[in-house]
Amino acid sequence: MNATLSFFLLVALAVLGIESATIKPRCRCIQNAPEDTCAKIKAKMVKRIERFPAGPFCKKEEVIIHFQKGKTLCVDPAAKSLEKLERSIQPRSAANISTTSTPETTTADN
């Protein structure tokens, strides 16, 4: 009886250890680029901009710029040049959304 209880306790601890090892809550950005870096970025170089609000895993808001060539850059969410960059790529983003929407279905009268 005592060996069985020890076995189940060992299995439970192993499962908890594996589960806690797979969950690594942390911020996505370790360090932000200097604010003047964002001002030098041209809109045609940017693929998309992601904003992540503060939450339980990271206490700060984060902004990641994804470039056309696959690189990424973390920037300060409060940078004024970031707002300008977002406004300049906004028309392109809106165009992409409208072209990927599903077409309306029509019914044929028989």
Side-chain angles (χ1 to χ4, degrees), residues 12 26 31 40 46-47 53 65 70 90 103 105:
R26 61 183 176 90
Q31 183 177 6
K40 298 173 186 174
V46 177
K47 184 175 183 179
I65 298 175
Q90 195 171 28
T105 56

Side-chain angles (χ1 to χ4, degrees), residues 28 51-62:
R28 292 167 185 86
R51 285 190 172 267
F52 298 97
F57 297 124
C58 184
K59 302 297 181 199
K60 62 180 183 169
E61 180 183 5
E62 297 177 301

Side-chain angles (χ1 to χ4, degrees), residues 12-107:
L13 288 174
V15 168
L16 288 175
I18 291 170
E19 186 175 310
S20 66
T22 58
I23 300 173
K24 295 183 180 179
R26 61 183 176 90
C27 294
R28 292 167 185 86
C29 296
I30 296 171
Q31 183 177 6
N32 288 339
E35 187 170 340
D36 63 333
T37 304
C38 195
K40 298 173 186 174
I41 299 172
K42 299 190 184 313
K44 65 182 178 181
M45 298 166 52
V46 177
K47 184 175 183 179
R48 72 180 186 276
I49 297 175
E50 286 184 302
R51 285 190 172 267
F52 298 97
F57 297 124
C58 184
K59 302 297 181 199
K60 62 180 183 169
E61 180 183 5
E62 297 177 301
V63 176
I64 302 175
I65 298 175
H66 296 267
F67 293 96
Q68 296 288 347
K69 298 200 178 220
K71 294 189 178 193
T72 59
L73 179 69
C74 292
V75 295
D76 181 15
K80 292 183 180 184
S81 54
L82 176 64
E83 295 174 18
K84 183 179 177 183
L85 181 63
E86 285 179 316
R87 282 194 307 268
S88 66
I89 68 166
Q90 195 171 28
R92 185 176 64 190
S93 298
N96 288 341
I97 291 170
S98 65
T99 58
T100 58
S101 62
T102 57
E104 295 181 19
T105 56
T106 57
T107 58

